[in-house]
Amino acid sequence: MALLPLLLLLLRPSREPLALWRVRSAPRCLALGWLHGIGAWLVAVPWIAGVLREHGGLSGWLSVLLLIALCAYLGAYHAAFALFARRMIARASPAWIALALPAGWVGLEWVRSVLLTGFPWNLAAYAWVAVPGALSASAWVGSFGISFLLVQSQVAWFSSLRAGSIRPLWALAPTLLLLVAGVATTPPPAPPPDDGHPVWIVQPDIEIEESGPASLGRMMAMSECPQPGGLVVWPESATWPRSWQGDVALRSAVLDLAEAGCQVLINTSRWEGDDAYNTAMVIGRQGEIAHYDKIHLVPFGEYVPLAGLFPFLDEIARNAGGYSAASELVVLPWNEETLGVAICFEITLPAQVARLAQLGATVLVTLTNDSWYGDTSAPRQHFVSARFRAAENRRPLLRAAITGISAVIDPWGRPLDKLGVDQAGVIERRVAGRSAPTLYTRAPWAVPALAGVLGLIGLARPRPTRRSGEPTSPEEAS
């Protein structure tokens, strides 16, 4: 309900006898929206300061300043929404407000997810991860569609409070209908299947300061192939700083595991000439079967934008500035299944994961290293993204995290087996892939595009023409 107070703050009591409320001035609405956004993001991502301090080698005060700078940038989207909302509230009817305000929010959320490399973290939809029907409904409208419904529900309550009437709550009807449909189409949790192929997800609980040559021994001690045809999944950075190309011990150990009849999905650095890539690689008995090079790199983590201007940030991650972005999205073979792999942050990108399903992925996989964040909200926020990607595309999803949260997630976004943060263990389960595309998989662009059109129409709507004796705005009419 965090948007409801912001919408109410955009109004002030009217001094005119026929009007209860007036919208505040544009500068005041801009300031209120910006403060709302800064506060929201400071609550959501305070762990960023800890990452910068503990792993980036920055001083405490500089880490906090950079966190505030990031939150100020993200807060600008809330400020833009406040200005947009002010215009709609002052000029539009309640019915149009119920459409335009959620569309404006979704349009800005989409811009945030693509602008300046994109930061689609904590989409509004994720607040409804536990709301019955929301995950299932995302297969039709995606996360952005769920964000639309969430904002629309808050706009309905805002309009009801503003009018002093329950009539504006009609806008809750589409949300309730879609959630009910989502509940109706969600099957009960299924027992472990007898069909499918066996999977072993290894979570070694290796902290950053522990990783090194000895980590290979721990991974091998926890890994086995009890049944041929299975897949052993290792998380991101599990054997750093070893690489498949440059380390004989790593190749020998993984090939010994593959000799038992399993394929092994590992994360490694890979070189082509002077270019290094963050790579997911499927290994069989004869060695590499196929690989995927990460496309969406994390700024200041895997590369440094404008590195000459930010030399002090080179040590935020061990390979900062060292990776190149690949240009081609590919899927990887595993027996009769096809794996669509998203490396770490890429699982937060709805359209990219949908593209994997379009390319034929029957099982989604994400390999991640969340040890940077410790036992904070960050691994849990990251995990929610993975649940929505599984539900949007109705694909089982395997999540391997070096310190947690690792899980097998079913096609409706429900964790079937899970290892929490700072736990070591192995998840064993049989997994059967799915190939039928969802409505969202077919058109992941549809809801953002529709929201953009509605938002632009709202901006272009003229102020209602005033006739003699009529009020000039809904505020005066109230």
Side-chain angles (χ1 to χ4, degrees), residues 254-316:
V254 174
L255 288 174
D256 286 344
L257 188 60
E259 276 299 316
C262 288
Q263 294 180 11
V264 187
L265 179 60
I266 67 171
N267 170 250
T268 182
S269 297
R270 192 182 70 84
W271 283 267
E272 284 188 7
D274 295 331
D275 294 327
Y277 297 94
N278 187 354
T279 300
M281 189 176 292
V282 176
I283 308 297
R285 288 178 175 175
Q286 305 303 318
E288 178 188 340
I289 295 175
H291 68 263
Y292 160 66
D293 297 326
K294 189 175 182 182
I295 291 177
H296 194 102
L297 302 179
V298 179
F300 305 114
E302 294 168 313
Y303 78 105
V304 179
L306 304 175
L309 299 178
F310 301 102
F312 63 93
L313 292 172
D314 277 345
E315 298 304 319
I316 286 180

Side-chain angles (χ1 to χ4, degrees), residues 84 87-88 90-97 99-100 453-464 474:
F84 178 79
R87 183 181 179 92
M88 293 300 99
R91 297 190 173 199
S93 66
W96 182 251
I97 290 174
L99 286 175
V453 170
L454 287 174
L456 290 174
I457 292 175
L459 288 175
R461 283 173 63 91
R463 182 183 293 275

Side-chain angles (χ1 to χ4, degrees), residues 32 83 111 187 191 202 208 221 252 291 294 296 336 382 395 447 450 461:
L32 287 169
L83 280 180
V111 171
V202 182
I208 292 175
S252 176
H291 68 263
K294 189 175 182 182
H296 194 102
E336 294 83 19
H382 205 183
R395 299 289 192 275
V447 170
L450 179 60
R461 283 173 63 91

Side-chain angles (χ1 to χ4, degrees), residues 109 112-113 117-123 126 144 345 348-350 385:
E109 214 171 46
R112 171 164 66 86
S113 71
T117 78
F119 191 70
W121 194 267
N122 279 12
L123 300 179
Y126 300 165
F144 290 115
F345 186 76
T348 68
L349 305 171
S385 300

Side-chain angles (χ1 to χ4, degrees), residues 47 207 370-380 403 420-422:
W47 42 265
E207 300 291 344
D370 286 350
S371 62
W372 301 102
Y373 317 121
D375 191 4
T376 65
S377 60
R380 294 158 177 89
T403 57
V421 177
D422 293 338

Side-chain angles (χ1 to χ4, degrees), residues 4 47 62 119 127 153 172 174 200 206 252 308 316 332 344 358 397 403 413 435 439:
L4 182 56
W47 42 265
L62 183 55
F119 191 70
S153 69
L172 293 173
W200 296 271
I206 300 174
S252 176
I316 286 180
L332 307 179
C344 196
Q358 292 172 1
L397 187 145
T403 57
S435 58
L439 183 61

